Amino acid sequence: MPDAFDPVPEDRFTFGLWTVGNPGADPFGGPVRPRLSPEEIVAGLARAGAWGVNLHDNDLVPFGASAAERDRIVGGFRKALEDHGLVVPMATTNLFSHPVFRDGAFTSSDARVRAFAVRKAMGAIELGVELGARTIVFWGGREGVESDAARDARDALRWMRECLNFLTHWVRDQGWELRFALEAKPNEPRGDIYLATTGHMLHFIETLDHPEMVGVNPEVAHENMPGLSMVHAVAQAMEAGKLFHIDLNAQKIGRYDQDLRFGSEDQKGAFFLVRLLEGTGGYPAYEGPRHFDAHAYRTEDVDGVWDFARGCMRTYKILAARARAFDADPEVQEILAANRVEEDGLGMLLRAYTPEAARRLAAVELDAEALAALGHRYERLDQIAVEYLLGVRG
Ligand code: GCO
Ligand code: MN
Ligand code: MN
């Protein structure tokens, strides 16, 4: 039975070809499902209610394909997109599968490998532009080391910067209006990957020639693997105006990169993430695609893959509805307001330093003991959140 949580294209949900197309191989066993063609994926996503599909260059065009073969494949894919009304908002480059990238791509110590990687990225960007993509994601994959004996990380950072600068200049020269989104992951498949978190990326972006063109693509699993908060990573990116794209999935903290169905683990983290993206607690909502970078359990057959895809989208919509109800709850608003004290113009005083503000600050009477005695009622507030999440309130 269709209900209010069934996805529709207006929700702007997207999946990668590599996500629903994942045939279930892992380091200990081969594929368990037939490989779906890009056309089958497009048809299935449209049936499931998605808005778009994203891709790596080699998800569509095999490595080393001739120009004629490439054009034939892209033509067939474009027809499927038109037939099913799906868009391609994002494209990315596979800079990790081919053995040439075994020691990285943009951070390889070998300038020949870096040159090959930049040229491959240019081809992937051209493909993206041809398909209508506006965002180009960069997840290097193998931009790291097993041993720091290999190179000084400062060289790696400089090479990464040079390659990204080269690409931003080239894109501008073509007259394309594209945005780059850098995706961090702390480890796997390399022992340690450079620029391990969204926070690292946000700083690095400010050192580029065209920082305004470059933002981030945070992923739930990648922030949670080392036990960090995805909510805080995304909030920092939003505050900096840098949330250009997002990879939604789920992850158990401390494990390998699981890329699980969105909301299938840490429902509370997912609830506060959706609340942030939808802006129900304040601030404008995130306007980009809601992209799922996840795949079905290895136990599933092809039907299970579509259960997985619908599950990601439904859970997002359910959490959005729960977040709206939570933020509209008078008791929630009352507790938040009671904690947000702006007495005597103190907030304003701290907003901008002047010598006069410093003199006034010195003169303000502040009773540390009285302030220390205040409770904040966050136990109550969090329990309300949990009750919304569990569906017994609102
Ligand atoms: C991973 C990454 C990738 C990237 C993709 C897009 O851990 O495998 O999350 O799925 O998101 O390569 O750049
Ligand atoms: Mn991942
Ligand atoms: Mn990802």
Side-chain angles (χ1 to χ4, degrees):
M1 277 293 278
D3 62 22
F5 306 115
D6 270 354
V8 290
E10 293 68 45
D11 297 320
R12 301 187 10 122
F13 289 128
T14 63
F15 287 82
L17 279 183
W18 70 96
T19 64
V20 278
N22 183 303
D26 69 16
F28 304 96
V32 293
R33 296 185 281 268
R35 222 168 248 290
L36 299 175
S37 71
E39 287 77 10
E40 285 171 317
I41 293 175
V42 167
L45 284 177
R47 259 196 313 276
W51 171 65
V53 62
N54 301 320
L55 69 156
H56 299 84
D57 46 357
N58 303 138
D59 296 339
L60 185 63
V61 183
F63 187 94
S66 69
E69 200 183 337
R70 172 207 184 274
D71 290 349
R72 184 187 57 73
I73 293 170
V74 175
F77 185 62
R78 288 182 70 145
K79 178 158 187 324
L81 292 170
E82 277 160 30
D83 288 351
H84 296 281
L86 244 63
V87 295
V88 176
M90 178 277 260
T92 182
T93 319
N94 183 327
L95 295 173
F96 44 89
S97 291
H98 193 283
V100 69
F101 301 125
R102 66 209 280 173
D103 191 25
F106 294 167
T107 62
S108 165
S109 303
D110 188 331
R112 293 168 300 180
V113 175
R114 298 201 300 279
F116 185 78
V118 169
R119 213 164 65 189
K120 190 170 192 293
M122 290 162 89
I125 293 170
E126 274 168 341
L127 175 63
V129 168
E130 196 175 329
L131 295 169
R134 304 300 297 270
T135 305
I136 306 296
V137 162
F138 289 89
W139 175 67
R142 298 190 187 274
E143 310 290 15
V145 285
E146 285 69 43
S147 164
D148 283 312
R151 75 178 63 77
D152 187 313
R154 287 169 291 191
D155 285 326
L157 294 173
R158 180 166 55 82
W159 292 327
M160 173 77 110
R161 180 179 304 114
E162 289 169 359
C163 292
L164 286 168
N165 281 341
F166 194 98
L167 290 167
T168 54
H169 287 292
W170 174 71
V171 161
R172 288 165 62 90
D173 252 7
Q174 309 302 305
W176 293 332
E177 286 212 7
L178 293 176
R179 301 205 299 179
F180 290 0
L182 310 186
E183 178 176 345
K185 177 164 161 179
N187 45 60
E188 197 202 276
R190 305 299 298 269
D192 286 294
I193 296 183
Y194 302 123
L195 300 165
T197 69
T198 297
H200 290 75
M201 288 294 188
L202 284 170
H203 168 262
F204 176 73
I205 287 167
E206 296 307 320
T207 72
L208 298 174
D209 286 353
H210 283 294
E212 74 288 351
M213 261 181 81
V214 187
V216 291
N217 178 40
E219 173 171 317
V220 177
H222 299 180
E223 300 296 326
N224 285 175
M225 284 166 75
L228 298 176
S229 164
M230 174 68 168
V231 175
H232 291 191
V234 170
Q236 189 176 353
M238 289 177 97
E239 211 243 349
K242 291 293 186 192
L243 188 67
F244 287 6
H245 200 264
I246 191 159
D247 278 4
L248 299 167
N249 57 20
Q251 170 76 21
K252 285 188 173 155
I253 283 179
R255 310 279 172 95
Y256 64 94
D257 184 23
Q258 294 176 300
D259 293 336
L260 299 168
R261 187 179 79 256
F262 179 64
S264 62
E265 299 290 336
D266 183 19
Q267 283 81 13
K268 196 163 130 186
F271 170 77
F272 286 118
L273 176 61
V274 171
R275 178 180 184 231
L276 188 69
L277 293 173
E278 297 299 311
T280 65
Y283 292 103
Y286 161 71
E287 284 176 354
R290 274 71 174 160
H291 171 69
F292 299 103
D293 184 11
H295 48 75
Y297 299 143
R298 193 168 187 265
T299 50
E300 301 310 286
D301 59 12
V302 172
D303 287 344
V305 169
W306 299 115
D307 287 338
F308 147 84
R310 273 189 297 274
C312 287
M313 297 187 279
R314 282 181 59 81
T315 299
Y316 187 99
K317 291 187 78 166
I318 293 166
L319 290 173
R322 297 280 83 198
R324 272 193 297 277
F326 174 75
D327 281 307
D329 188 307
E331 194 179 352
V332 168
Q333 291 174 1
E334 188 271 314
I335 295 173
L336 290 174
N339 275 287
R340 197 167 169 141
V341 181
E342 290 284 353
E343 211 174 67
D344 297 334
L346 284 177
M348 285 308 285
L349 188 69
L350 294 174
R351 200 156 294 169
Y353 167 81
T354 60
E356 169 58 15
R359 269 191 297 278
R360 282 175 52 205
L361 180 63
V364 174
E365 262 187 51
L366 295 167
D367 183 346
E369 297 308 321
L371 290 174
L374 295 176
H376 294 276
R377 288 191 284 155
Y378 293 153
E379 283 289 0
R380 176 72 192 142
L381 185 63
D382 187 74
Q383 180 63 23
I384 297 173
V386 168
E387 293 193 9
Y388 272 105
L389 200 48
L390 296 179
V392 297
R393 181 163 169 140

